[in-house]
Amino acid sequence: MAANDGTVGKALEVLDQVAAFGRPVRFSELLDASPFPKATLYRLVQTLTKQHMLTFDHERNTYTPGLRLVRLAHAAWQQSSLVPIARPHIDQLAEEVREAVHLAQIDHGHVIFVDKRKKTNMFDTLAQTGLVAPSYCTGVGKAILAFLPEDRRDEALKMQAFVPYTPHTHKSPDSLTPELAEIRKDGIAFDREEHEQGIISVAAPILRSGDKVVGAISIATSTSRRSLDDLNGLSPILLETASRIASEIEPWHFPN
Amino acid sequence: MAANDGTVGKALEVLDQVAAFGRPVRFSELLDASPFPKATLYRLVQTLTKQHMLTFDHERNTYTPGLRLVRLAHAAWQQSSLVPIARPHIDQLAEEVREAVHLAQIDHGHVIFVDKRKKTNMFDTLAQTGLVAPSYCTGVGKAILAFLPEDRRDEALKMQAFVPYTPHTHKSPDSLTPELAEIRKDGIAFDREEHEQGIISVAAPILRSGDKVVGAISIATSTSRRSLDDLNGLSPILLETASRIASEIEPWHFPN
DNA sequence: TTGTTGGTTTCAAATAATGAAACCTAGTTT
DNA sequence: AAACTAGGTTTCATTATTTGAAACCAACAA
């Protein structure tokens, strides 16, 4: 992935590492997973800890991502241009369809769930705010990928590992590409238990000025509640919502 | 607040700045608010942007905190030692009292709301996951402060500005100190519309091995729904919940 | 005792950060 | 149009930080 912006870049790389472990990590584990020499990594980790970007557990000698991140992320989330605009709409959608509704954006090739609403009492799907999901096997991910300009799509796909979460998961870009063309045509993407067994979703991109994708929304449910056809029946209202959100986006920018 | 860890420290200082603005901010505004010379700040901001820690809006020439933070924070949140332990308990508490229940931790002198549950349909109180609140005028904040070791309490208070949010807000440490002693005695803290007009709360610290505070929980409501006395009546169940959470904390560490 | 693993510190060499000043724009004003 | 300006970007010699091999220090095991 290249592009190493000096010390800051390295520090962030370490942060990513720690986050990726998903559990408290020892210095030595980090060292193995890291391209940096011992002393360098040591000082990076020290600095990050002193800065509360990492939390150090004295008893277990392990590191976890620090609370300062939560603080900073709140600001990021609150200021996101998309979230506040979409909020009332996904809220209403969740109310109408009585299923979980997700809002996602893409960043750095990662699909990030930035908001969710659910008005049902069923068990929580695993998606939560801030969760990162793979793009190639989620509804929102594919919806966004499909409408990304070609270069950015390639870039996003290149940094994917194509983990076979379920038997339905795409195994390589080759099988994915035709589906993306399909999605581009229909304006609708499906997740057919590709990320989690028993979980399906319909997703629609949010297109600014008709073609620039800035995010996606999806309705997710379990196969025990609804069939895929059934879910497909919700496409119109999903599309309607997506376009309503899009229409409220100011003529300004959108990074992505 | 000192302790400047080289470039990384400076970069994070800039991030804090941007987050503190709470709105898209121009380079020049940042420059005014920043101790760094133009060129230095410029490069820091560039680096952070390239690293997706900041998002740059081409049209408006402004910066906002980046999505990478959301990604990282999710990991921090998920791995927090307190959140998963407390989750079922605050859930149950919210169910029983039918009011909003908050879980907070302290970091770097900041009170951070790390989780919340509400089973009521009333308007959302402003507290949300990741929100930073002042310690001196919130229930959870005072509950934590009261049980902090003296040196860390002083440190935490020193970095506070004592903004008078409402007429009931403490104006200085002098009036706060006696109340903290009180809280230490009772094991219960109240927010008497000190942060927001019309919002009150009861809070209890979560004490590991009886005396080390690792966080706090609170029940929050509006004056229109309940009186302070009424809320006080919920103290027993709140304390009960807090001690149940505490009892599930492993003999391990706790950073704070 | 001797080895080993995991963590911490040293120190001269290599590298990156610094910041004053110059330099671009693209709007404004005269 | 020429002359300002405010906001943003780049240069470059100086300075300070980062680097990483190696040495060092536990604590624990053989």
Side-chain angles (χ1 to χ4, degrees), chain A residues 119-158:
Chain A
K119 294 286 178 172
T120 115
N121 286 327
M122 72 172 289
F123 72 101
D124 249 315
T125 51
L126 84 174
Q128 273 173 327
T129 297
L131 187 81
V132 183
S135 55
Y136 61 94
C137 65
T138 54
V140 280
K142 291 191 290 184
I144 293 174
L145 277 183
F147 286 87
L148 234 37
E150 194 152 5
D151 53 332
R152 299 206 44 233
R153 172 162 63 239
D154 292 346
E155 184 203 349
L157 285 177
K158 228 180 335 205

Side-chain angles (χ1 to χ4, degrees), chain B residues 9 16 20 30 42 53 55 65 75 78 85 97 102 105 118-119 125 136 154 162 181 194 206 211 222 239 245:
Chain B
D16 272 346
L30 221 43
Y42 182 69
M53 298 295 278
T55 292
Q78 205 175 236
I85 294 173
V97 303
H102 301 295
Q105 288 185 260
K118 74 177 193 31
K119 295 285 177 173
T125 51
Y136 61 94
D154 290 346
F162 284 87
E194 292 160 50
I206 299 171
D211 63 334
S222 65
L239 284 167
I245 294 171

Side-chain angles (χ1 to χ4, degrees), chain A residues 41-110:
Chain A
L41 180 68
Y42 182 69
R43 279 175 311 234
L44 286 173
V45 160
Q46 289 258 102
T47 303
L48 288 170
T49 303
K50 206 178 305 175
Q51 293 287 345
H52 295 242
M53 298 296 277
L54 287 179
T55 291
F56 181 63
D57 180 334
H58 291 275
E59 321 285 315
R60 313 207 122 198
N61 269 18
T62 55
Y63 297 89
T64 42
L67 277 184
R68 188 176 185 175
L69 284 166
V70 176
R71 221 166 3 110
L72 288 168
H74 179 69
W77 182 78
Q78 205 176 236
Q79 292 187 46
S80 146
S81 1
L82 196 52
V83 172
I85 294 174
R87 212 5 124 78
H89 296 107
I90 63 175
D91 211 9
Q92 189 192 339
L93 183 59
E95 180 71 53
E96 282 170 8
V97 302
R98 293 261 135 201
E99 297 286 359
V101 174
H102 301 295
L103 171 68
Q105 286 186 260
I106 195 161
D107 173 65
H108 221 202
H110 300 274

Side-chain angles (χ1 to χ4, degrees), chain A residues 16 52 68 71 107 132, chain B residues 16 52 57 68 71 107 132:
Chain A
D16 271 345
H52 295 242
R68 188 176 185 175
R71 221 166 3 110
D107 173 65
V132 183
Chain B
D16 272 346
H52 294 240
D57 179 333
R68 188 175 186 179
R71 212 157 23 97
D107 174 66
V132 183

Side-chain angles (χ1 to χ4, degrees), chain B residues 7-173:
Chain B
T7 323
V8 176
K10 283 169 204 161
L12 292 175
E13 206 175 325
V14 171
L15 259 192
D16 272 346
Q17 286 274 7
V18 177
F21 268 89
R23 59 172 173 81
V25 59
R26 292 183 97 78
F27 174 76
S28 54
E29 300 181 277
L30 221 43
L31 183 58
D32 293 339
S34 179
F36 309 116
K38 219 182 187 186
T40 303
L41 180 67
Y42 182 69
R43 277 174 315 233
L44 286 173
V45 160
Q46 287 258 102
T47 303
L48 288 170
T49 303
K50 207 179 304 175
Q51 293 288 346
H52 294 240
M53 298 295 278
L54 286 179
T55 292
F56 181 63
D57 179 333
H58 291 274
E59 319 288 314
R60 310 210 125 197
N61 269 17
T62 55
Y63 297 89
T64 43
L67 276 184
R68 188 175 186 179
L69 284 166
V70 176
R71 212 157 23 97
L72 288 168
H74 180 70
W77 183 78
Q78 205 175 236
Q79 292 186 46
S80 146
S81 0
L82 196 51
V83 172
I85 294 173
R87 207 12 119 81
H89 297 105
I90 63 175
D91 212 7
Q92 189 192 339
L93 182 59
E95 181 70 53
E96 283 172 8
V97 303
R98 293 260 136 201
E99 296 287 357
V101 174
H102 301 295
L103 172 68
Q105 288 185 260
I106 195 162
D107 174 66
H108 222 202
H110 300 275
V111 170
I112 304 182
F113 286 87
V114 289
D115 209 358
K116 93 165 188 188
R117 243 64 244 279
K118 74 177 193 31
K119 295 285 177 173
T120 117
N121 285 328
M122 72 171 288
F123 73 102
D124 248 317
T125 51
L126 86 172
Q128 272 172 326
T129 298
L131 186 81
V132 183
S135 55
Y136 61 94
C137 65
T138 55
V140 281
K142 291 190 289 183
I144 293 175
L145 277 183
F147 286 88
L148 234 36
E150 195 150 0
D151 53 334
R152 300 207 41 236
R153 173 164 61 239
D154 290 346
E155 185 202 349
L157 285 177
K158 231 182 332 207
M159 52 189 7
Q160 290 290 354
F162 284 87
V163 182
Y165 291 97
T166 79
H168 306 93
T169 311
H170 282 286
K171 267 126 201 99
S172 76

Side-chain angles (χ1 to χ4, degrees), chain B residues 89-90 92-93 96-97 186-188 203-207 217 219 233-248:
Chain B
H89 297 105
I90 63 175
Q92 189 192 339
L93 182 59
E96 283 172 8
V97 303
D186 303 339
I188 278 282
I206 299 171
L207 302 171
I217 54 174
I219 303 173
L234 300 177
S235 305
I237 188 174
L238 180 71
L239 284 167
E240 168 68 24
T241 305
S243 91
R244 265 209 298 265
I245 294 171
S247 73
E248 281 191 29

